[in-house]
Amino acid sequence: MRHKTIDELLNSEKTHIEVTVKGWVRSFRSNRFIALNDGSTINTLQCVVDFENFEDEVLKKVTVGAAIKVVGTLVESQGKGQKVEVQVSKLTVLGEAKPEDVKLTILSPKRHTLETLREQAHLRIRTNTFGAVMRTRSKLAFAVHEYFQKNGFNYMHSPIITGSDAEGAGEMFRVSALDPKNPPLDENGNIDYKQDFFEKETNLTVSGQLEAETYAMALGKVYTFGPTFRAENSNTSRHLAEFWMIEPEVAFNDLDANMDLAEDFIKYVVKYALDNCADDLEFLENRLLEEEKNKPQNERSEMKLREKLHFILDNNFKRVSYTEAIDILKNSTPNKKKKFKYLIEEWGADLQSEHERFLVEKHFKCPVILFDYPAKIKAFYMRLNDDGKTVRAMDVLFPGIGEIVGGSQREERFDVLKEKMAAMDIDEKELYWYLDLRKFGTAVHSGFGLGFERLVQFTTGMGNIRDVIPYPRTPGNAEF
């Protein structure tokens, strides 16, 4: 008999049928009631054992963390908290978990801090919190592909190893096949990358945007969704060394169309999560409420988790120019009373998270899209406005998190792009192919980038971005 998942059984319309179920023991009470979970849902299935019909040696092995197989009859539950339960007729221990070992881990049935859970990342997925987060992450990833496929986008894989720095940040991980202890040197004493595998200096990509533009100018509408990397050594709740980036690129779309796309896309995936992750989101919301009871009132969230998600769906995104936003911030009470950590004193300042959250949560009280940023604080490829000072860039701001999307209309004019590259000391030879796109049928086009983990962080309400990835990076260990 094929074993069924616990999710299937809890939603079964049939009872008084024989079933087989496999999972891990969450608890075993009174030598009679097993709470079983298999990861298909946050909920456990109660399996009722008549201990007089089972050997003591078998029941002693039914401990927290043990993997078991249960055969029995699915019946309507006599107790509270579950619709159905299994009356066990056969029980097999598939993998033991010794109680003395379990006590030393986060599998022990007690409340653990998120910091403690990060220290045992290989086990934390078996906790309710991280099971809920990772199931939601999976559903969101599916929703990303579903949205773009339904809307006529072609999925393309951008290079993971690249010789270009799309962002101009310079904080990239190097990729080389040269001997690190004895690399070949050129006549000037510098590393001779001509002898390397790619015959040039290469890195792990920070973005697939530039390559996506080449596909958009042939296929019209494309998107990338893959791993990107940044070697920014910043140990904060907002930064990752490895993250997944969603990057659509659309030919013949200007900045207004790009803003429309970003808003429509975000609302689609958030609604998908609400519709398909109800139990997990309810659990995460309750976990967050319990956590916030220990915080001062002024540090607690004004909205519950699912209220924040509905806030995104129920409100049109307010579109505000950077210049208007700066005026609002300069004249705001927090700025005048010097309560911002970074005071806004003049036009051209790069906005911080505290400014973005003020605009969303206090001033407009709805999601906000800022546009037309100063050219000097944005990348070379963004379309220069007629004023010569601003570019057609945009950022989408959310409550509780600040910026979640960054995008722009791309500079499609060959001469202007060439001048901007020269002004920023970007080698034309390295990006000749990017300039070529402006020589052969150039056209207005735009796109945006959305860090997938930021989307998961917002949707699940997790305060630290390391708590929405499979394995948090820690000093001295790249995997766990």
Side-chain angles (χ1 to χ4, degrees), residues 193-304:
Y193 285 104
K194 291 182 179 179
Q195 298 186 46
D196 206 349
F197 187 90
F198 293 104
E199 299 183 356
K200 63 185 295 186
E201 188 172 358
T202 52
N203 311 281
L204 295 179
T205 185
V206 297
S207 169
Q209 176 206 312
L210 302 189
E211 290 81 7
E213 287 187 55
T214 68
Y215 273 67
M217 299 308 289
L219 301 180
K221 297 198 292 186
V222 301
Y223 73 104
T224 74
F225 182 19
T228 50
F229 309 84
R230 185 159 293 171
E232 181 179 355
N233 193 15
S234 179
N235 188 27
T236 75
S237 63
R238 294 165 54 91
H239 290 89
L240 292 172
E242 175 185 342
F243 52 100
W244 283 63
M245 186 72 81
I246 303 160
E247 296 177 293
E249 198 72 31
V250 186
F252 311 113
N253 260 19
D254 61 11
L255 185 63
D256 288 331
N258 200 34
M259 290 190 277
D260 292 340
L261 175 64
E263 181 171 351
D264 191 54
F265 167 73
I266 290 171
K267 288 185 173 182
Y268 183 93
V269 295
V270 168
K271 185 177 187 304
Y272 189 92
L274 282 165
D275 291 344
N276 292 276
C277 306
D279 289 345
D280 287 324
L281 291 178
E282 180 181 6
F283 170 83
L284 291 168
E285 179 179 288
N286 290 333
R287 184 204 68 82
L288 188 59
L289 289 173
E290 284 296 317
E291 187 179 84
E292 292 200 331
K293 286 180 180 179
N294 299 319
K295 294 182 179 179
Q297 188 66 41
N298 64 337
E299 292 182 15
R300 298 179 188 179
S301 300
E302 293 184 6
M303 291 183 283
K304 296 178 182 178

Side-chain angles (χ1 to χ4, degrees), residues 3-7 9-10 19-29 33-48 62-71 82 86 88 90-94 126 128:
H3 80 273
K4 290 185 176 292
T5 67
I6 289 175
D7 189 45
L9 295 179
L10 292 177
V19 298
T20 300
V21 60
K22 301 176 183 179
W24 295 275
V25 176
R26 287 289 175 86
S27 68
F28 187 21
R29 296 183 293 109
F33 302 106
I34 302 172
L36 196 66
N37 184 271
D38 66 356
S40 62
T41 173
I42 196 166
N43 301 306
T44 57
L45 175 67
Q46 180 163 282
C47 302
V48 183
V62 182
T63 58
V64 172
I68 65 172
K69 172 184 174 182
V70 166
V71 179
Q82 63 273 331
V86 174
V88 180
K90 185 178 180 180
L91 188 156
T92 306
V93 177
L94 304 175
R126 290 173 67 172
N128 280 333

Side-chain angles (χ1 to χ4, degrees), residues 17 56 119 149 151 226 228 237 283 297 302 331 334 362 431:
I17 56 174
D56 286 343
E119 294 172 1
Q149 293 296 325
N151 286 280
T228 50
S237 63
F283 170 83
Q297 188 66 41
E302 293 184 6
N331 294 310
K362 303 298 183 184
L431 289 176

Side-chain angles (χ1 to χ4, degrees), residues 70-89:
V70 166
V71 179
T73 304
L74 187 69
V75 298
E76 293 180 0
S77 179
Q78 300 301 309
K80 296 180 180 180
Q82 63 273 331
K83 184 176 70 172
V84 295
E85 63 188 21
V86 174
Q87 297 289 344
V88 180
S89 60

Side-chain angles (χ1 to χ4, degrees), residues 142-190:
F142 177 82
V144 168
H145 287 291
E146 185 175 74
Y147 175 85
F148 288 121
Q149 293 296 325
K150 281 184 174 180
N151 286 280
F153 284 73
N154 291 289
Y155 180 38
M156 53 87 62
H157 296 159
S158 53
I160 292 176
I161 300 174
T162 178
S164 65
D165 180 358
E167 300 296 324
E171 297 166 335
M172 304 175 74
F173 290 105
R174 291 192 182 129
V175 176
S176 175
L178 297 177
D179 183 351
K181 293 182 179 180
N182 188 31
L185 304 178
D186 61 21
E187 57 187 14
N188 296 317
N190 298 317

